[in-house]
Amino acid sequence: MRLFAAVLPPASAIDELGRTVRQLNSLSDVQGLRWTGREGWHLTLAFMGETDEAVLEELHERLRRAARRTDPFTLRLHGGGRFDGRALWAGVAGGLDQLRLLAERADAAARRSGIPMDQHRRYVPHLTLARSRTPMDLKPYVDGLAAFEGSPWQVSELALIRSSLPSGGIPGERPRYEAVAHWPLGGGG
């Protein structure tokens, strides 16, 4: 199964961002820009990819410990950016040090469970809004996100998400995400 660890923003944060994204959709009818669905909006902490079921029990235990060792913290969705003209994203503000620490702990939990992780890269907290197969000018969209300031919310859990890629060949079909486990933050050293 294809897995990743994530923080899931609450519905109120998703609704706020959704209003801004609706406005961005009206900027133009750019072909090739595929918008992600609100039901899939998340902050990826550690992408594990295809994961053998034999490591799941240990992975769950290690992620539980990572969550327990991380105190709850506050975030808010804020502004936006782009990666190489291929991805448009909403940014994050607030407890970024704690978010990065949780990402490092989730990555370590996966590695120690025997999951071969990609090379370690600097963690850039973001929520992907749209993707393009070819590079395109996303500046108008980034400019449209610049003033976005979401309300703060308390991050209180770590989630393990199963990702199912589209397989039906249906135009516009999106990946499906299912939370398979949640662990509360805090409560241990």
Side-chain angles (χ1 to χ4, degrees):
M1 72 183 71
R2 189 175 158 94
L3 299 173
F4 60 90
V7 165
L8 303 175
S12 59
I14 296 295
D15 289 343
E16 287 177 339
L17 182 59
R19 288 189 288 276
T20 298
V21 168
R22 269 196 305 281
Q23 293 170 356
L24 293 177
N25 282 321
S26 68
L27 287 178
S28 71
D29 58 345
V30 173
Q31 296 297 317
L33 191 59
R34 298 179 329 262
W35 293 90
T36 59
R38 290 169 58 139
E39 66 281 352
W41 286 355
H42 60 269
L43 302 170
T44 300
L45 298 173
F47 181 75
M48 297 158 208
E50 290 297 331
T51 304
D52 189 324
E53 288 189 37
V55 302
L56 288 182
E57 186 175 332
E58 183 173 354
L59 175 63
H60 281 229
E61 176 56 26
R62 290 184 180 279
L63 287 172
R64 183 189 65 74
R65 280 189 246 154
R68 189 184 69 220
R69 292 177 47 222
T70 307
D71 289 330
F73 55 95
T74 302
L75 288 180
R76 74 184 186 328
L77 298 174
H78 161 80
R82 64 184 177 242
F83 293 130
D84 301 327
R86 292 180 185 262
L88 175 69
W89 46 265
V92 184
L96 296 181
D97 288 341
Q98 296 95 324
L99 183 63
R100 286 185 182 98
L101 178 61
L102 185 58
E104 288 172 12
R105 287 176 172 164
D107 183 87
R111 288 178 193 280
R112 291 180 181 137
S113 297
I115 298 171
M117 301 292 285
D118 288 338
Q119 281 187 315
H120 187 72
R121 288 182 258 182
R122 185 177 154 267
Y123 179 67
V124 178
H126 68 281
L127 186 153
T128 301
L129 297 172
R131 293 184 180 88
S132 174
R133 292 189 196 282
T134 58
M136 57 191 310
D137 181 15
L138 296 174
K139 186 178 183 325
Y141 298 96
V142 174
D143 291 347
L145 286 165
F148 176 71
E149 290 288 339
S151 300
W153 86 88
Q154 181 89 1
V155 177
S156 60
E157 69 178 18
L158 168 64
L160 183 63
I161 309 294
R162 179 184 328 186
S163 167
S164 300
L165 297 176
S167 60
I170 300 166
E173 189 177 16
R174 298 177 176 149
R176 289 184 331 275
Y177 301 106
E178 173 193 2
V180 294
H182 298 268
W183 297 276
L185 298 187

